[in-house]
């Protein structure tokens, strides 16, 4: 304990400063996304997040979209509690056996038109969990995926850019 206290006093902070978000770029992309969503859906975009077995790293970045720095709700992008209110299912993690059924039910409960977005390397190709007996596989093995956002974890702006690409895609959502 004495050693710990001495180290804490002598070595200073163990944390590092967070990288500054690119406010101008985010604002530009989020405004464009909100405008496309309104044009395409006639209203703002609603997102239901599903953790299918992630380490929670991706969730921390998704939560950042709602924090006072990013605050995407000011552009009309909403995270909703029920899949019945969602346009987009944002799924993280490889799909675990424990979450497979819940994920399928969530997909079925989401009204058409709907898009499915795989967020993070684990959802894209199982990432660091590849080969684990606890997982069924990547998200695309379970559901039709409309967009992959890679990264471990992907930064918030990449998620917003991916959603913008979805809204601009000519293909209709399911
Ligand atoms: S992609 Fe990285 S941060 Fe996201 S769930 Fe997998 S290990 Fe965690």
């Amino acid at each position: 304990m004495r050693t710990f206290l001495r180290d804490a006093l002598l070595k200073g902070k163990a944390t590092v400063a967070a990288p500054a978000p690119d406010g101008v770029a985010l604002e530009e992309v989020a405004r464009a996304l909100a405008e496309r969503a309104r044009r395409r859906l006639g209203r703002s975009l609603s997102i239901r997040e599903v953790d299918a077995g992630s380490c929670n790293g991706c969730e921390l970045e998704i939560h950042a979209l709602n924090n006072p720095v990013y605050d995407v709700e000011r552009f009309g992008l909403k995270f909703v509690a029920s899949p019945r209110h969602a346009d987009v299912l944002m799924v993280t993690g490889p799909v675990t056996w424990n979450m497979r059924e819940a994920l399928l039910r969530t997909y079925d409960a989401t009204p058409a038109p709907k898009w499915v977005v795989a967020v993070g390397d684990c959802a894209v190709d199982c990432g660091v969990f590849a080969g684990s007996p606890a997982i069924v596989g990547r998200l695309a093995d379970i559901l039709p995926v409309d967009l992959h956002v890679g990264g471990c974890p992907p930064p918030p702006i990449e998620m917003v850019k991916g959603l913008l690409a979805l809204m601009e895609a000519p293909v209709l959502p399911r």
Side-chain angles (χ1 to χ4, degrees), residues 17-114:
D22 188 339
V24 178
L26 174 83
E27 189 148 346
E28 217 170 81
V29 180
R31 269 194 206 293
L33 171 58
E35 188 258 321
R36 301 289 194 294
R38 268 188 214 105
R39 203 181 317 146
R40 192 137 188 201
L41 299 168
R43 55 186 159 70
S44 55
L45 191 70
S46 297
I47 305 163
R48 172 75 165 95
E49 200 267 333
V50 182
D51 177 349
S54 92
C55 74
N56 273 354
C58 284
E59 271 63 37
L60 290 174
E61 297 300 314
I62 291 173
H63 290 170
L65 288 169
N66 284 320
N67 74 17
V69 177
Y70 290 96
D71 189 21
V72 292
E73 201 154 323
R74 69 194 145 131
F75 303 109
L77 309 174
K78 290 184 299 182
F79 280 82
V80 292
S82 166
R84 297 195 189 285
H85 302 151
D87 307 300
V88 171
L89 286 184
M90 205 178 237
V91 185
T92 63
V95 181
T96 59
W97 285 105
N98 284 347
M99 278 300 293
R100 182 180 172 279
E101 184 62 32
L103 178 62
L104 289 171
R105 287 191 197 185
T106 304
Y107 179 78
D108 289 343
T110 309
K114 57 189 166 191

Side-chain angles (χ1 to χ4, degrees), residues 53-59 92-94 119-123 126-129 151-154:
S54 92
C55 74
N56 273 354
C58 284
E59 271 63 37
T92 63
V119 174
D121 288 350
C122 291
C126 297
V128 293
F129 297 110
C152 182

Side-chain angles (χ1 to χ4, degrees), residues 136-162:
V136 189
R138 60 202 177 112
L139 180 61
D141 295 329
I142 317 298
L143 291 180
V145 177
D146 300 287
L147 175 76
H148 292 95
V149 183
C152 182
I157 189 153
E158 291 305 316
M159 299 179 206
V160 181
K161 281 182 186 167

